[in-house]
Amino acid sequence: MRIDIISILPDIFESVLGSSMLGIAREKGAVEFHVHDLRDWAEDRHRTTDDYPFGGGHGMVMKPEPIFRAVRAVEAGSQQAPTVVLVCPQGRLLDQALVEDLAGRERLIIICGRYEGFDDRVRSLADVEVSIGDYVLTGGELPAMVIADAVTRLQPGVLASVEATRDESHSSGLLEYPQYTRPATFEGRSVPDVLLSGDHARIAAWRRREAIRRTAERRPDVLDRALLTDEERAFARALRDAAATRGQ
Ligand SMILES: C[S@@+](CC[C@H](N)C(=O)[O-])C[C@H]1O[C@@H](n2cnc3c(N)ncnc32)[C@H](O)[C@@H]1O
């Protein structure tokens, strides 16, 4: 997979895209990152990429021309049209389903905003507008890194095992079960006995129930979308009723 990022702050990406799992993914050839300085497509000698908003108001707005030129230049020569992602707080909320969708694309171009955001005509370039949450950041660079990280770890060969992602929070429609490592007892609190039993079937059953319990307690909205057996759904309903009674 290839990810192109267009930003007025290209220098801030390297420490994230070059480190840890993302750096390894790049070395393995599972992903290519290309970060472009939007100012390279500005027209004037000051390399201007923003201007005052028509109609007045505070702040500056990102000009359309450099962004259109940048996207067209980055797209050029690509056999298959890349998926253009515009990061903005008005976009579709990023969730694991959208991450999986984007991870399956051959090429992504991520456009990062700054200031008060984009001239609205820039939206016509986007295949998808993505928000990473209902809050406003100063720029699109962190959202671009979030997307790059989330899609990279799903590329084949990046994680040690596919199972590692299958059980994770939001992949199966459930939050992940509680995890423990050594020591078996820490400050008087012990790891559940079943995890020390070596009985893989019992461990799997315990993890499934705890994932349902955790999801029912923390994210009942997510549980509604999870694939559960009738028995599991009854268990989840009982947990939710108990939580509601406690809350009365
Ligand atoms: C200060 S924000 C502009 C917010 C804009 N005035 C609004 O109210 O929608 C500047 C840029 O940061 C990025 N950004 C900020 N918050 C974001 C979020 N929650 N998700 C994705 N991108 C975000 C976008 O690229 C945005 O254009």
Short mmCIF file of all heavy atoms in Angstrom, two decimals, residues 59-107:
data_model
loop_
_atom_site.label_atom_id
_atom_site.label_comp_id
_atom_site.label_asym_id
_atom_site.label_seq_id
_atom_site.Cartn_x
_atom_site.Cartn_y
_atom_site.Cartn_z
N GLY A 59 -9.69 34.33 11.34
CA GLY A 59 -8.85 33.23 10.85
C GLY A 59 -8.68 33.25 9.34
O GLY A 59 -9.24 34.08 8.63
N MET A 60 -7.89 32.30 8.89
CA MET A 60 -7.57 32.17 7.47
C MET A 60 -8.12 30.85 6.95
O MET A 60 -8.35 29.91 7.71
CB MET A 60 -6.05 32.19 7.27
CG MET A 60 -5.37 33.43 7.81
SD MET A 60 -5.91 34.93 6.94
CE MET A 60 -4.79 34.91 5.55
N VAL A 61 -8.29 30.82 5.62
CA VAL A 61 -8.86 29.62 4.97
C VAL A 61 -7.84 29.09 3.97
O VAL A 61 -7.17 29.88 3.30
CB VAL A 61 -10.19 30.00 4.26
CG1 VAL A 61 -10.72 28.85 3.43
CG2 VAL A 61 -11.23 30.45 5.28
N MET A 62 -7.74 27.78 3.84
CA MET A 62 -6.77 27.22 2.89
C MET A 62 -7.26 27.40 1.46
O MET A 62 -8.39 27.03 1.13
CB MET A 62 -6.52 25.75 3.20
CG MET A 62 -5.86 25.62 4.57
SD MET A 62 -5.24 23.99 4.87
CE MET A 62 -3.75 24.00 3.90
N LYS A 63 -6.39 27.95 0.64
CA LYS A 63 -6.73 28.25 -0.75
C LYS A 63 -6.94 26.95 -1.54
O LYS A 63 -6.24 25.97 -1.30
CB LYS A 63 -5.58 29.02 -1.42
CG LYS A 63 -5.40 30.43 -0.91
CD LYS A 63 -4.07 31.01 -1.31
CE LYS A 63 -3.93 31.21 -2.81
NZ LYS A 63 -4.96 32.09 -3.38
N PRO A 64 -7.85 26.97 -2.51
CA PRO A 64 -8.07 25.74 -3.27
C PRO A 64 -6.96 25.39 -4.26
O PRO A 64 -6.63 24.21 -4.43
CB PRO A 64 -9.39 26.00 -4.01
CG PRO A 64 -9.53 27.47 -4.08
CD PRO A 64 -8.82 28.04 -2.87
N GLU A 65 -6.38 26.43 -4.92
CA GLU A 65 -5.49 26.10 -6.06
C GLU A 65 -4.30 25.21 -5.69
O GLU A 65 -4.04 24.21 -6.40
CB GLU A 65 -4.97 27.38 -6.76
CG GLU A 65 -6.00 28.42 -7.09
CD GLU A 65 -6.05 29.48 -6.00
OE1 GLU A 65 -6.29 29.11 -4.83
OE2 GLU A 65 -5.87 30.66 -6.31
N PRO A 66 -3.54 25.54 -4.61
CA PRO A 66 -2.40 24.66 -4.32
C PRO A 66 -2.82 23.22 -4.02
O PRO A 66 -2.15 22.27 -4.41
CB PRO A 66 -1.77 25.30 -3.07
CG PRO A 66 -2.26 26.71 -3.05
CD PRO A 66 -3.62 26.68 -3.68
N ILE A 67 -3.97 23.08 -3.36
CA ILE A 67 -4.42 21.72 -3.00
C ILE A 67 -4.82 20.95 -4.25
O ILE A 67 -4.44 19.78 -4.42
CB ILE A 67 -5.57 21.77 -1.96
CG1 ILE A 67 -5.09 22.49 -0.69
CG2 ILE A 67 -6.05 20.36 -1.62
CD1 ILE A 67 -6.16 22.66 0.38
N PHE A 68 -5.57 21.59 -5.15
CA PHE A 68 -5.94 20.89 -6.40
C PHE A 68 -4.69 20.51 -7.19
O PHE A 68 -4.58 19.38 -7.69
CB PHE A 68 -6.85 21.78 -7.26
CG PHE A 68 -8.31 21.64 -6.92
CD1 PHE A 68 -8.84 22.30 -5.83
CD2 PHE A 68 -9.14 20.82 -7.67
CE1 PHE A 68 -10.19 22.16 -5.49
CE2 PHE A 68 -10.48 20.67 -7.34
CZ PHE A 68 -11.01 21.34 -6.26
N ARG A 69 -3.73 21.45 -7.26
CA ARG A 69 -2.51 21.13 -8.02
C ARG A 69 -1.74 19.99 -7.37
O ARG A 69 -1.25 19.10 -8.05
CB ARG A 69 -1.62 22.38 -8.12
CG ARG A 69 -1.93 23.23 -9.35
CD ARG A 69 -0.75 24.13 -9.68
NE ARG A 69 -0.52 25.07 -8.59
CZ ARG A 69 -1.16 26.22 -8.46
NH1 ARG A 69 -2.05 26.59 -9.36
NH2 ARG A 69 -0.93 27.01 -7.44
N ALA A 70 -1.66 20.03 -6.04
CA ALA A 70 -0.91 18.99 -5.33
C ALA A 70 -1.54 17.62 -5.56
O ALA A 70 -0.86 16.65 -5.91
CB ALA A 70 -0.87 19.31 -3.83
N VAL A 71 -2.86 17.53 -5.40
CA VAL A 71 -3.53 16.23 -5.54
C VAL A 71 -3.37 15.72 -6.97
O VAL A 71 -3.05 14.55 -7.20
CB VAL A 71 -5.03 16.32 -5.13
CG1 VAL A 71 -5.77 15.06 -5.52
CG2 VAL A 71 -5.14 16.58 -3.64
N ARG A 72 -3.54 16.61 -7.95
CA ARG A 72 -3.42 16.17 -9.35
C ARG A 72 -2.00 15.70 -9.66
O ARG A 72 -1.80 14.71 -10.36
CB ARG A 72 -3.85 17.29 -10.30
CG ARG A 72 -5.37 17.39 -10.29
CD ARG A 72 -5.87 18.58 -11.05
NE ARG A 72 -7.34 18.66 -10.92
CZ ARG A 72 -8.04 19.76 -11.06
NH1 ARG A 72 -7.44 20.91 -11.33
NH2 ARG A 72 -9.35 19.74 -10.92
N ALA A 73 -1.00 16.40 -9.10
CA ALA A 73 0.39 16.00 -9.35
C ALA A 73 0.69 14.66 -8.68
O ALA A 73 1.36 13.80 -9.26
CB ALA A 73 1.34 17.07 -8.81
N VAL A 74 0.19 14.47 -7.48
CA VAL A 74 0.48 13.22 -6.76
C VAL A 74 -0.25 12.04 -7.42
O VAL A 74 0.26 10.93 -7.48
CB VAL A 74 0.10 13.38 -5.26
CG1 VAL A 74 0.19 12.05 -4.53
CG2 VAL A 74 1.02 14.41 -4.59
N GLU A 75 -1.45 12.34 -7.94
CA GLU A 75 -2.23 11.28 -8.61
C GLU A 75 -1.62 10.88 -9.94
O GLU A 75 -1.77 9.74 -10.38
CB GLU A 75 -3.64 11.81 -8.93
CG GLU A 75 -4.64 11.62 -7.83
CD GLU A 75 -5.99 12.25 -8.22
OE1 GLU A 75 -6.05 13.05 -9.17
OE2 GLU A 75 -6.97 11.92 -7.57
N ALA A 76 -0.95 11.82 -10.57
CA ALA A 76 -0.47 11.60 -11.95
C ALA A 76 0.40 10.36 -12.03
O ALA A 76 1.23 10.11 -11.15
CB ALA A 76 0.32 12.82 -12.43
N GLY A 77 0.19 9.60 -13.06
CA GLY A 77 1.02 8.42 -13.27
C GLY A 77 0.53 7.20 -12.52
O GLY A 77 1.03 6.09 -12.71
N SER A 78 -0.47 7.39 -11.66
CA SER A 78 -0.99 6.24 -10.91
C SER A 78 -1.96 5.48 -11.81
O SER A 78 -2.87 6.07 -12.39
CB SER A 78 -1.70 6.76 -9.66
OG SER A 78 -2.30 5.70 -8.99
N GLN A 79 -1.76 4.16 -11.92
CA GLN A 79 -2.62 3.38 -12.81
C GLN A 79 -4.05 3.34 -12.30
O GLN A 79 -5.00 3.49 -13.04
CB GLN A 79 -2.07 1.97 -12.94
CG GLN A 79 -0.81 1.97 -13.80
CD GLN A 79 -0.22 0.59 -13.95
OE1 GLN A 79 -0.48 -0.29 -13.14
NE2 GLN A 79 0.61 0.42 -14.96
N GLN A 80 -4.16 3.15 -10.99
CA GLN A 80 -5.49 3.11 -10.38
C GLN A 80 -5.68 4.40 -9.59
O GLN A 80 -4.74 4.83 -8.89
CB GLN A 80 -5.56 1.92 -9.42
CG GLN A 80 -6.88 1.21 -9.48
CD GLN A 80 -6.92 0.09 -8.48
OE1 GLN A 80 -5.90 -0.35 -7.96
NE2 GLN A 80 -8.11 -0.38 -8.19
N ALA A 81 -6.84 5.03 -9.73
CA ALA A 81 -7.05 6.31 -9.04
C ALA A 81 -6.93 6.11 -7.53
O ALA A 81 -7.61 5.25 -6.96
CB ALA A 81 -8.43 6.85 -9.39
N PRO A 82 -6.06 6.88 -6.87
CA PRO A 82 -5.94 6.74 -5.41
C PRO A 82 -7.22 7.21 -4.72
O PRO A 82 -8.00 7.98 -5.30
CB PRO A 82 -4.79 7.68 -5.06
CG PRO A 82 -4.10 8.01 -6.33
CD PRO A 82 -5.11 7.87 -7.41
N THR A 83 -7.44 6.73 -3.51
CA THR A 83 -8.56 7.20 -2.70
C THR A 83 -8.11 8.47 -1.98
O THR A 83 -7.11 8.45 -1.26
CB THR A 83 -8.95 6.12 -1.67
OG1 THR A 83 -9.35 4.96 -2.40
CG2 THR A 83 -10.08 6.58 -0.77
N VAL A 84 -8.86 9.54 -2.21
CA VAL A 84 -8.46 10.82 -1.60
C VAL A 84 -9.26 11.03 -0.31
O VAL A 84 -10.49 11.01 -0.30
CB VAL A 84 -8.71 11.99 -2.58
CG1 VAL A 84 -8.32 13.31 -1.93
CG2 VAL A 84 -7.91 11.77 -3.88
N VAL A 85 -8.50 11.21 0.77
CA VAL A 85 -9.09 11.38 2.10
C VAL A 85 -8.85 12.82 2.56
O VAL A 85 -7.71 13.27 2.60
CB VAL A 85 -8.43 10.41 3.12
CG1 VAL A 85 -9.01 10.62 4.51
CG2 VAL A 85 -8.57 8.96 2.66
N LEU A 86 -9.91 13.50 2.89
CA LEU A 86 -9.79 14.86 3.43
C LEU A 86 -10.06 14.75 4.92
O LEU A 86 -11.14 14.26 5.32
CB LEU A 86 -10.85 15.75 2.77
CG LEU A 86 -10.78 17.23 3.05
CD1 LEU A 86 -9.63 17.87 2.28
CD2 LEU A 86 -12.10 17.90 2.65
N VAL A 87 -9.10 15.14 5.75
CA VAL A 87 -9.37 15.04 7.19
C VAL A 87 -9.98 16.35 7.67
O VAL A 87 -9.44 17.42 7.44
CB VAL A 87 -8.12 14.64 8.01
CG1 VAL A 87 -7.80 13.19 7.84
CG2 VAL A 87 -6.92 15.50 7.68
N CYS A 88 -11.13 16.24 8.32
CA CYS A 88 -11.82 17.44 8.82
C CYS A 88 -12.83 17.02 9.89
O CYS A 88 -13.31 15.89 9.88
CB CYS A 88 -12.52 18.17 7.68
SG CYS A 88 -13.91 17.31 7.00
N PRO A 89 -13.13 17.94 10.81
CA PRO A 89 -14.04 17.56 11.91
C PRO A 89 -15.47 17.30 11.45
O PRO A 89 -16.28 16.79 12.21
CB PRO A 89 -13.99 18.76 12.87
CG PRO A 89 -13.02 19.72 12.32
CD PRO A 89 -12.60 19.29 10.96
N GLN A 90 -15.78 17.66 10.19
CA GLN A 90 -17.14 17.43 9.71
C GLN A 90 -17.29 16.08 9.00
O GLN A 90 -18.36 15.77 8.48
CB GLN A 90 -17.52 18.53 8.71
CG GLN A 90 -17.38 19.92 9.28
CD GLN A 90 -17.64 21.00 8.25
OE1 GLN A 90 -18.19 20.75 7.19
NE2 GLN A 90 -17.24 22.23 8.58
N GLY A 91 -16.21 15.32 8.94
CA GLY A 91 -16.23 14.09 8.17
C GLY A 91 -16.87 12.92 8.89
O GLY A 91 -17.36 13.05 10.02
N ARG A 92 -16.86 11.78 8.20
CA ARG A 92 -17.38 10.54 8.80
C ARG A 92 -16.45 10.14 9.95
O ARG A 92 -15.22 10.18 9.79
CB ARG A 92 -17.39 9.45 7.71
CG ARG A 92 -17.76 8.11 8.24
CD ARG A 92 -17.91 7.10 7.14
NE ARG A 92 -17.84 5.77 7.71
CZ ARG A 92 -17.72 4.65 7.03
NH1 ARG A 92 -17.65 4.69 5.71
NH2 ARG A 92 -17.67 3.48 7.63
N LEU A 93 -17.03 9.78 11.07
CA LEU A 93 -16.21 9.41 12.22
C LEU A 93 -15.41 8.15 11.92
O LEU A 93 -15.98 7.15 11.46
CB LEU A 93 -17.09 9.15 13.43
CG LEU A 93 -17.39 10.32 14.36
CD1 LEU A 93 -18.19 9.83 15.56
CD2 LEU A 93 -16.13 11.03 14.82
N LEU A 94 -14.13 8.21 12.18
CA LEU A 94 -13.26 7.06 11.93
C LEU A 94 -13.59 5.95 12.92
O LEU A 94 -13.61 6.17 14.13
CB LEU A 94 -11.79 7.48 12.08
CG LEU A 94 -10.75 6.44 11.69
CD1 LEU A 94 -10.78 6.16 10.19
CD2 LEU A 94 -9.35 6.89 12.10
N ASP A 95 -13.87 4.77 12.39
CA ASP A 95 -14.05 3.59 13.25
C ASP A 95 -13.33 2.43 12.56
O ASP A 95 -12.77 2.58 11.47
CB ASP A 95 -15.53 3.29 13.51
CG ASP A 95 -16.30 3.01 12.22
OD1 ASP A 95 -15.67 2.87 11.15
OD2 ASP A 95 -17.55 2.95 12.29
N GLN A 96 -13.33 1.27 13.21
CA GLN A 96 -12.54 0.16 12.68
C GLN A 96 -13.05 -0.30 11.32
O GLN A 96 -12.26 -0.72 10.48
CB GLN A 96 -12.50 -1.00 13.70
CG GLN A 96 -11.45 -2.06 13.42
CD GLN A 96 -10.02 -1.54 13.47
OE1 GLN A 96 -9.72 -0.51 14.08
NE2 GLN A 96 -9.10 -2.24 12.83
N ALA A 97 -14.36 -0.18 11.09
CA ALA A 97 -14.90 -0.58 9.77
C ALA A 97 -14.34 0.31 8.68
O ALA A 97 -13.95 -0.17 7.60
CB ALA A 97 -16.43 -0.51 9.81
N LEU A 98 -14.26 1.60 8.94
CA LEU A 98 -13.70 2.52 7.94
C LEU A 98 -12.19 2.28 7.79
O LEU A 98 -11.66 2.31 6.67
CB LEU A 98 -13.99 3.98 8.33
CG LEU A 98 -13.49 5.07 7.39
CD1 LEU A 98 -13.94 4.84 5.94
CD2 LEU A 98 -13.97 6.45 7.87
N VAL A 99 -11.51 2.01 8.89
CA VAL A 99 -10.07 1.70 8.82
C VAL A 99 -9.86 0.47 7.93
O VAL A 99 -8.99 0.46 7.06
CB VAL A 99 -9.50 1.44 10.24
CG1 VAL A 99 -8.10 0.82 10.16
CG2 VAL A 99 -9.45 2.73 11.04
N GLU A 100 -10.68 -0.56 8.12
CA GLU A 100 -10.53 -1.78 7.31
C GLU A 100 -10.79 -1.48 5.84
O GLU A 100 -10.09 -2.00 4.95
CB GLU A 100 -11.47 -2.87 7.83
CG GLU A 100 -10.93 -3.50 9.11
CD GLU A 100 -11.92 -4.40 9.82
OE1 GLU A 100 -12.91 -4.81 9.20
OE2 GLU A 100 -11.71 -4.67 11.02
N ASP A 101 -11.77 -0.66 5.58
CA ASP A 101 -12.07 -0.27 4.20
C ASP A 101 -10.86 0.46 3.59
O ASP A 101 -10.37 0.09 2.51
CB ASP A 101 -13.33 0.63 4.21
CG ASP A 101 -13.68 1.15 2.84
OD1 ASP A 101 -12.92 0.92 1.89
OD2 ASP A 101 -14.72 1.82 2.71
N LEU A 102 -10.34 1.45 4.30
CA LEU A 102 -9.20 2.21 3.77
C LEU A 102 -7.95 1.34 3.65
O LEU A 102 -7.16 1.50 2.72
CB LEU A 102 -8.91 3.43 4.67
CG LEU A 102 -10.02 4.49 4.73
CD1 LEU A 102 -9.67 5.57 5.74
CD2 LEU A 102 -10.26 5.11 3.36
N ALA A 103 -7.79 0.40 4.57
CA ALA A 103 -6.61 -0.47 4.55
C ALA A 103 -6.60 -1.36 3.30
O ALA A 103 -5.55 -1.82 2.86
CB ALA A 103 -6.55 -1.33 5.81
N GLY A 104 -7.78 -1.58 2.73
CA GLY A 104 -7.87 -2.43 1.54
C GLY A 104 -7.61 -1.68 0.24
O GLY A 104 -7.57 -2.29 -0.83
N ARG A 105 -7.43 -0.38 0.31
CA ARG A 105 -7.18 0.40 -0.91
C ARG A 105 -5.69 0.32 -1.27
O ARG A 105 -4.84 0.23 -0.39
CB ARG A 105 -7.56 1.89 -0.73
CG ARG A 105 -8.95 2.12 -0.13
CD ARG A 105 -10.03 1.66 -1.08
NE ARG A 105 -11.35 1.81 -0.46
CZ ARG A 105 -12.20 2.76 -0.80
NH1 ARG A 105 -11.89 3.64 -1.73
NH2 ARG A 105 -13.38 2.83 -0.22
N GLU A 106 -5.45 0.42 -2.57
CA GLU A 106 -4.06 0.35 -3.05
C GLU A 106 -3.26 1.60 -2.66
O GLU A 106 -2.12 1.55 -2.25
CB GLU A 106 -4.07 0.23 -4.57
CG GLU A 106 -2.80 -0.32 -5.13
CD GLU A 106 -3.05 -1.70 -5.68
OE1 GLU A 106 -3.72 -2.52 -5.04
OE2 GLU A 106 -2.57 -1.93 -6.76
N ARG A 107 -3.94 2.76 -2.83
CA ARG A 107 -3.27 4.04 -2.57
C ARG A 107 -4.22 5.00 -1.88
O ARG A 107 -5.39 5.11 -2.25
CB ARG A 107 -2.82 4.69 -3.88
CG ARG A 107 -1.54 4.15 -4.44
CD ARG A 107 -1.04 5.04 -5.56
NE ARG A 107 -0.69 6.40 -5.10
CZ ARG A 107 -0.23 7.35 -5.91
NH1 ARG A 107 -0.08 7.11 -7.19
NH2 ARG A 107 0.08 8.55 -5.42
#
